[in-house]
Amino acid sequence: MSGRGARVLYAVVFVVVVLVGVGGWSGYKHLPRIPGVPPAPVLGVPDGALLHQPYPAYSGPHPRVLERPPEYFPFPILTGEVGPVETLFAGPSSYPFYCGENKISGRQPLVDNQKGEGVPVFALDDRGVKTQQIIGYSRDCSHGTRVNYFYRSITDGRFHPLEKASGDIDQVTVNGKTIDFVVRVETGTINRYFYAIAVLRGEGETPERPTATNWNRRLIYQFRGGVGIGRRQGDISKGDVVTRRLDQLARGYGVVYSTANQTSNHYNIWLAEDTARRLKKQFESLYGEPMYTVGVGGSGGAIQQYLLAQNASDLLDAAIPLYSYPDMVSQIIYVFDCEPLEYFFDVIDADNPRWREASERSVIQGLAANSDTESRFRVLKLVAALFDGRYRDGVKGATECTQGWRGLVPLINNPRFTHFIKNYADEVAADTHWTHWEDLRQFYGVGESGFANSVWDNEGVQYGLEALVAGQISLETFLKLNASIGGWKAPENQDDEKLWFLNGDLVPPRLSVWSEHNMNLGGLDNPAKRSRASIEAIEGIYRSGHVFLGDVEIPIIDLRHYLDSELDMHHSLASFTSRERIRAARGHADNQLIWVSHKKYTPLDEALDTIDQWMQNIMRNPGAGVAANRPEEARDQCFDRDGNILAAGAGVWNGDWNREPAGACMQAFPIYRTSRQVAGAPISDDIFKCARQSVARALVNGVYGALTEAVGERIEDMQRIFPTGVCNYNRPDLARPAEDLIPSPGPVRIAGQLVEPDYRVPLDQLAEQPQPPVEVPVSVSLGGEGD
């Protein structure tokens, strides 16, 4: 055996020993890997689908003022028929497109070509079992509409096919009547995505002709989350609508859902709206128009509600965003900072014992961290440490960056990587650019390189600035940090990821949890190059309605469990980011309530009841508007583990974010910040491209507080680190379109009533926006630099 072969064998033996030592099979299961090849991968795409030609960023009107085309499809989709394939206004279909699984019908997608485009469809034998014989291909993943009935059993509390009932059907009382708890579930495809409609079975109905006798005339539009980059249909099961919405179905609500409204499949808000409009048409053509439609859904499902309320004011009458963020795009601003900062703590500044306590990292990252939390990458790092000294860091605990976001940056940003790449033939996978940017190329635009533009920018960002000013880090650490951290490489220069190492070489020298091979790194003598975003791409994503501007009229109850202490990505700060954007756009946020609860209690039914009363008030007195019709008992509040209200009313969420003493709820459930807020950005977290001022001007303007003179003595280092200047967060986003994107909107239809918009005194600055700078004398030579 050669020397190299002996070393490889030795390494493999050690890997196995370590795996056994840290938990054997249980530990092995938790090591990251890429799923294998499915039975029916995408084999081909239509001609021209992957040409990657340059394309301009979106420059049209904001969707709030964009007229939608009339519907041409003849709803309803009848049983056995197929819904529309091409969207109404969201743009042409993109390929490749991986077909998901309809776990309710158990059927394959329909054959739509014999060219080898899409996934193979197999013949069935006499028993209905798939064979290996390919009868055609499905490019668009269509399914015929089908109806199934499910009942809730009193035996186990679960839903089962109605034909399996055996005297064990549960009962519910709806509209004053006691009826069997039997739900009609209709599934099919609209815009290539699965849809589902679930309503209690009506009197005298047939699968083809449902009746609305046991519907309470209220409709829940369910949204779901996840991080997605397009290219797949998603799966659907009865659990998605029946089990998940059991309590609401029992109360008579109708429920609709589409996998196009699950962000693990894509983040295209035009496609989400296009599909939602069509699904509502399908529902209304079967059951009639609802009294109102309320959105419910978490994370990416909450994002959709905020953006649809802004972009399409006639689609949802009310929203209950769970675990919300204002939008996906502005999350990227601080999330993309995570791995460069973690690499700094773990590797570049590894000799600093401070960073071995994970809780210390919040001083720069802003996000929550905990030295007592066990890292979900513990097993991986134990294995990697055998071969790479960088993983022998002895860090105690974890941060939200590692627990919540690790692995998502490459999913969004690296065109050569996706964790579901095995769903596509090798040639198709190699020709596809796997990024969020590429999935929304019609809005971001495509550069001359053939890769979609990015809106991530950190030019001039002074990481840890407020920590420096507060004396929480030294000037040396501040300079080293900002000199070391650059940006992410251009997409054409990025390599595949090395985190999912179990699918490649077992020996882990190629392992990287930080993706540092795709970063620009440097040092004080040769500072790292920062990322410069495409201005046109930022303007395009603003104009396309993918950034939450805060202009929403409908009632909103922003509801979440408090998960910050668990380092969950769904941090409660995001609710207040949305509130500040609403307040900036409208002069108030009286139509948004923030409810936070201990994770053991979920006040969703209370939220639905509050929305119902709010809707009733609006229907009785639409002239009063939304905020004035808010029920008297509908207030900001927080709940303990047993559902008791800890505090409620004005001021319970006051805190540093709005420069007020901490209220009772804020004391019980404190919020954290982001890396950009620590760098001086406002709580709105919506500045993609900061205005910059020279380092000399920043010194004059007192940006560094009591450390002004010390920083001035290092002005040459500062100017080398920030050659184009440092961020001036007193000024707005340089790339936000100057014109009002939503000019003078008219009345909004809510619960069937026309309601006048409620704009009050406009606010020029957000709550945490820094005050205008005051010039102070500086005892160093500034070289005469201007702004």
Side-chain angles (χ1 to χ4, degrees):
M1 180 180 293
S2 68
R4 182 178 184 278
R7 288 194 300 272
V8 170
L9 179 60
Y10 177 79
V12 171
V13 169
F14 262 85
V15 169
V16 174
V17 170
V18 171
L19 286 174
V20 172
V22 297
W25 176 245
S26 175
Y28 177 81
K29 288 192 302 181
H30 291 89
L31 288 173
R33 70 201 71 209
I34 295 176
V37 179
V42 175
L43 300 178
V45 298
D47 291 341
L50 295 172
L51 292 181
H52 306 304
Q53 297 297 312
Y55 191 86
Y58 179 73
S59 59
H62 192 277
R64 178 71 166 269
V65 296
L66 184 65
E67 185 175 355
R68 310 301 190 266
E71 180 57 73
Y72 63 83
F73 189 87
F75 288 97
I77 310 164
L78 301 179
T79 303
E81 293 185 349
V82 176
V85 172
E86 290 297 331
T87 64
L88 182 62
F89 61 84
S93 298
S94 64
Y95 300 95
F97 189 65
Y98 177 67
C99 299
E101 182 180 356
N102 186 332
K103 298 178 181 179
I104 299 175
S105 71
R107 295 196 171 191
Q108 299 180 85
L110 299 175
V111 172
D112 56 28
N113 75 94
Q114 296 293 334
K115 301 177 182 178
E117 296 173 0
V119 303
V121 180
F122 301 95
L124 305 179
D125 64 17
D126 294 339
R127 297 170 298 166
V129 178
K130 280 192 294 187
T131 69
Q132 296 299 307
Q133 178 188 353
I134 297 175
I135 59 174
Y137 301 86
S138 185
R139 177 182 57 235
D140 293 312
C141 307
S142 294
H143 282 247
T145 293
R146 289 180 59 83
V147 174
N148 297 81
Y149 285 92
F150 296 95
Y151 78 99
R152 187 172 189 252
S153 172
I154 59 174
T155 303
D156 60 10
R158 298 178 179 179
F159 285 94
H160 303 278
L162 182 57
E163 57 270 21
K164 294 184 178 180
S166 180
D168 62 335
I169 299 178
D170 198 1
Q171 292 193 312
V172 292
T173 300
V174 176
N175 297 337
K177 299 178 295 182
T178 299
I179 60 172
D180 288 343
F181 197 168
V182 177
V183 181
R184 178 188 185 272
V185 179
E186 175 180 303
T187 60
T189 51
I190 293 175
N191 292 353
R192 303 192 301 170
Y193 290 85
F194 289 123
Y195 78 85
I197 295 174
V199 184
L200 287 172
R201 181 179 60 179
E203 295 176 5
E205 76 172 38
T206 64
E208 296 77 17
R209 289 182 172 273
T211 64
T213 55
N214 294 319
W215 174 38
N216 69 7
R217 313 304 299 182
R218 296 153 177 85
L219 180 63
I220 290 175
Y221 202 111
Q222 179 171 294
F223 298 88
R224 295 191 64 187
V227 179
I229 57 170
R231 314 292 187 183
R232 58 180 180 173
Q233 181 182 41
D235 301 330
I236 199 165
S237 69
K238 74 175 188 293
D240 291 332
V241 286
V242 180
T243 306
R244 183 179 290 265
R245 295 272 75 88
L246 180 155
D247 292 340
Q248 291 77 51
L249 288 167
R251 297 174 63 185
Y253 282 88
V255 179
V256 295
Y257 163 68
S258 167
T259 57
N261 297 113
Q262 181 170 358
T263 52
S264 59
N265 298 322
H266 71 88
Y267 268 98
N268 186 330
I269 198 63
W270 287 37
L271 177 58
E273 180 198 332
D274 194 310
T275 309
R277 286 187 180 279
R278 285 181 148 175
L279 180 47
K280 282 192 68 174
K281 282 188 177 294
Q282 174 69 4
F283 180 89
E284 291 171 3
S285 67
L286 297 172
Y287 291 97
E289 188 172 345
M291 182 189 305
Y292 62 80
T293 301
V294 55
V296 176
S299 191
I303 286 173
Q304 292 177 78
Q305 292 178 71
Y306 270 118
L307 290 180
L308 290 175
Q310 168 186 272
N311 298 350
S313 57
D314 60 335
L315 190 59
L316 298 177
D317 300 297
I320 305 178
L322 314 173
Y323 309 108
S324 73
Y325 302 102
D327 58 67
M328 187 271 192
V329 186
S330 56
Q331 282 183 81
I332 290 170
I333 296 173
Y334 61 86
V335 169
F336 275 31
D337 292 338
C338 273
E339 293 300 0
L341 289 173
E342 288 291 325
Y343 190 74
F344 174 81
F345 297 134
D346 287 340
V347 181
I348 296 174
D349 205 32
D351 292 338
N352 187 340
R354 180 180 186 181
W355 309 130
R356 293 172 196 162
E357 292 284 344
S359 59
E360 291 289 329
R361 300 183 179 193
S362 290
V363 73
I364 291 172
Q365 286 181 338
L367 300 171
N370 191 324
S371 293
D372 297 324
T373 298
E374 183 176 287
S375 170
R376 67 186 181 97
F377 292 91
R378 182 180 64 88
V379 174
L380 177 64
K381 292 175 73 174
L382 283 173
V383 175
L386 292 172
F387 313 97
D388 191 335
R390 298 179 304 173
Y391 296 94
R392 301 173 199 142
D393 51 31
V395 174
K396 292 176 57 180
T399 67
E400 183 187 320
C401 275
T402 57
Q403 296 293 85
W405 299 105
R406 177 157 283 171
L408 295 181
V409 173
L411 174 63
I412 294 167
N413 191 51
N414 188 342
R416 308 190 193 286
F417 167 78
T418 184
H419 61 286
F420 53 88
I421 200 166
K422 298 296 185 181
N423 291 355
Y424 309 82
D426 290 346
E427 183 178 355
V428 173
D431 288 344
T432 302
H433 293 169
W434 302 101
T435 65
H436 161 78
W437 319 116
E438 188 68 30
D439 191 41
L440 271 65
R441 68 195 304 272
Q442 70 197 90
F443 307 116
Y444 290 117
V446 180
E448 292 298 324
S449 67
F451 290 86
N453 299 320
S454 165
V455 300
W456 192 72
D457 189 290
N458 69 343
E459 189 176 17
V461 175
Q462 299 187 85
Y463 292 109
L465 173 63
E466 293 192 358
L468 172 70
V469 173
Q472 295 170 313
I473 61 173
S474 68
L475 179 56
E476 289 301 324
T477 296
F478 174 77
L479 293 171
K480 183 177 182 180
L481 170 69
N482 283 283
S484 303
I485 291 182
W488 292 93
K489 291 180 180 178
E492 61 268 28
N493 296 327
Q494 293 197 27
D495 293 325
D496 197 3
E497 293 303 312
K498 301 175 182 179
L499 173 57
W500 282 259
F501 76 102
L502 284 182
N503 297 84
D505 296 333
L506 185 60
V507 182
R510 295 182 65 251
L511 173 68
S512 168
V513 296
W514 309 278
S515 304
E516 83 283 352
H517 55 290
N518 287 324
M519 300 176 193
N520 297 318
L521 300 170
L524 199 55
D525 293 333
N526 184 25
K529 179 182 178 182
R530 297 291 182 91
S531 286
R532 181 176 295 179
S534 162
I535 297 292
E536 293 76 15
I538 299 174
E539 291 179 347
I541 209 66
Y542 268 116
R543 294 181 186 279
S544 67
H546 284 83
V547 178
F548 181 60
L549 304 176
D551 198 335
V552 289
E553 189 70 39
I554 65 174
I556 298 169
I557 299 180
D558 190 302
L559 172 63
R560 67 173 67 244
H561 291 135
Y562 185 72
L563 302 174
D564 293 51
S565 57
E566 299 182 16
L567 312 184
D568 191 282
M569 66 167 62
H570 301 104
H571 50 250
S572 50
L573 165 70
S575 297
F576 300 90
T577 296
S578 296
R579 171 159 291 186
E580 280 304 288
R581 295 189 195 181
I582 296 170
R583 193 170 72 90
R586 308 178 63 74
H588 70 97
D590 292 345
N591 60 318
Q592 184 220 34
L593 304 179
I594 295 177
W595 291 7
V596 179
S597 173
H598 187 281
K599 69 176 184 178
K600 295 292 185 182
Y601 185 73
T602 305
L604 179 57
D605 284 337
E606 292 97 315
L608 285 166
D609 289 342
T610 299
I611 289 294
D612 188 64
Q613 188 177 350
W614 207 335
M615 292 291 101
Q616 302 284 354
N617 291 349
I618 290 172
M619 287 185 283
R620 283 192 295 266
N621 186 18
V626 171
N629 272 310
R630 194 175 81 189
E632 185 175 347
E633 63 275 16
R635 300 168 293 175
D636 285 344
Q637 54 193 7
C638 52
F639 303 80
D640 68 11
R641 63 183 299 139
D642 298 316
N644 301 308
I645 297 176
L646 294 173
V652 296
W653 289 118
N654 282 346
D656 290 343
W657 69 278
N658 65 350
R659 301 196 192 96
E660 296 286 348
C665 287
M666 187 62 72
Q667 293 178 46
F669 300 125
I671 64 174
Y672 291 80
R673 298 194 294 170
T674 68
S675 55
R676 296 301 173 99
Q677 290 175 36
V678 175
I683 191 174
S684 56
D685 261 328
D686 57 354
I687 296 182
F688 293 91
K689 183 71 177 175
C690 70
R692 294 186 304 282
Q693 57 187 330
S694 68
V695 174
R697 178 55 57 187
L699 285 163
V700 169
N701 288 339
V703 169
Y704 307 101
L707 288 172
T708 295
E709 184 172 351
V711 174
E713 291 173 356
R714 303 294 296 272
I715 192 169
E716 291 185 2
D717 289 331
M718 288 287 290
Q719 290 172 334
R720 193 165 57 253
I721 296 169
F722 302 106
T724 60
V726 296
C727 288
N728 179 1
Y729 287 113
N730 289 302
R731 295 173 60 188
D733 188 347
L734 280 181
R736 180 167 175 166
E739 72 270 25
D740 187 355
L741 295 175
I742 307 176
S744 304
V748 176
R749 186 171 294 277
I750 300 176
Q753 308 297 317
L754 287 178
V755 177
E756 289 294 331
D758 183 9
Y759 293 97
R760 302 179 195 169
V761 178
L763 300 175
D764 295 326
Q765 294 184 329
L766 303 182
E768 205 177 44
Q769 186 79 22
Q771 296 300 308
V774 177
E775 292 198 8
V776 296
V778 183
S779 60
V780 295
S781 172
L782 301 181
E785 291 191 53
D787 285 321

